[in-house]
Amino acid sequence: IYLFSFPTIVFLLIAGPDLLHLFVGDGFEGSYLPLRIISPIVLIIGVEQILVIQILLTMHQENTVLRNSFIGAFAALIFNILITASMGAPGSAIVWVIAECVIMALSAFDIYRKYDYLMPIKRMAVYSLAYIPLLLIAIFIFRAVGSNYFMLALLAFVIVIYAFLTEVFILKNKVAMLLMDTIRQLLHSNHHETRNNAFNPTHISHLALSQVDPYYFIVSMGLPTVSIQKTQRNYEENTGRPRHDD
């Protein structure tokens, strides 16, 4: 999630209006600011879907999900009354972000309370700090080149290169490192068999889930911070039926 979300957020914050103009043309200038406001939704909903779909629903916590969704909808209603009437579309965008944050926070709290697993806030903070220089570089490119399609292409290229180098050499993301090793082996390989052994999509996909989405461990291998026995006991207490892992 982080590997995809943070570069996308930076791109939308800086080049979102130009990207929107490329697809829909003139007449939608009022959507430029709301698009920038909702750019963090990429990360928020990504984390939220892991918390809700891969953890709570897998643990048969449908009532918890329903309650959190109702609270999020109620919060959206209240803030729509307070903000949207005076701010219009930007206010509606702010309300959407607030509502999703409420659902994400409630889901993370429920998981911590029931399964003693804390959302990786520290890792998220490290990623945020790592991509601040990219945001500054993107602002510089936008001001130096101007608003045009060349800026879009240049900014996209710079973001991809920065993200890849940062993931490999600073954040030490094992998925990015594995991809780099795979590309290097493919480029230097002279035998078809070697290329097949070097590129293993299944290996990469499972490693991506385990590294980018820490919650993958909860679904596939149990909670990483507590014992499997405690997870089994908590599940049986909350659901009233034994858990049978596939």
Side-chain angles (χ1 to χ4, degrees), residues 134 137-138 141 153-163:
L134 177 60
I137 294 173
I141 292 176
L154 177 61
L155 185 59
F157 175 78
V158 171
I159 287 177
V160 170
I161 297 301
Y162 180 96

Side-chain angles (χ1 to χ4, degrees), residues 16-141:
D18 294 273
L19 184 65
L20 188 62
H21 184 271
L22 175 64
F23 284 102
V24 301
D26 297 326
F28 293 87
E29 289 77 11
S31 302
Y32 292 169
L33 179 58
L35 178 62
R36 282 173 165 158
I37 293 175
I38 66 173
S39 58
I41 285 288
V42 178
L43 175 63
I44 296 171
I45 290 186
V47 174
E48 180 186 322
Q49 291 302 303
I50 294 174
L51 296 174
V52 173
I53 296 178
Q54 295 190 19
I55 301 178
L56 290 176
L57 290 181
T58 303
M59 297 295 185
H60 301 284
Q61 298 294 319
E62 291 84 359
N63 292 335
T64 300
V65 174
L66 180 62
R67 183 203 64 198
N68 294 343
S69 300
F70 177 80
I71 296 175
F74 182 76
L77 176 63
I78 297 299
F79 282 102
N80 266 315
I81 296 174
L82 297 176
I83 298 178
T84 305
S86 59
M87 297 183 61
S92 181
I94 294 173
V95 170
W96 185 17
V97 174
I98 292 175
E100 296 295 345
C101 287
V102 169
I103 297 175
M104 181 183 68
L106 290 174
S107 301
F109 176 75
D110 287 326
I111 291 172
Y112 175 74
R113 180 171 58 88
K114 295 179 180 180
Y115 306 110
D116 195 25
Y117 183 73
L118 184 63
M119 182 177 168
I121 300 176
K122 181 179 179 181
R123 183 174 177 83
M124 189 180 297
V126 169
Y127 264 81
S128 301
L129 293 175
Y131 279 92
I132 289 178
L134 177 60
L135 180 61
L136 299 178
I137 294 173
I139 294 174
F140 173 79
I141 292 176

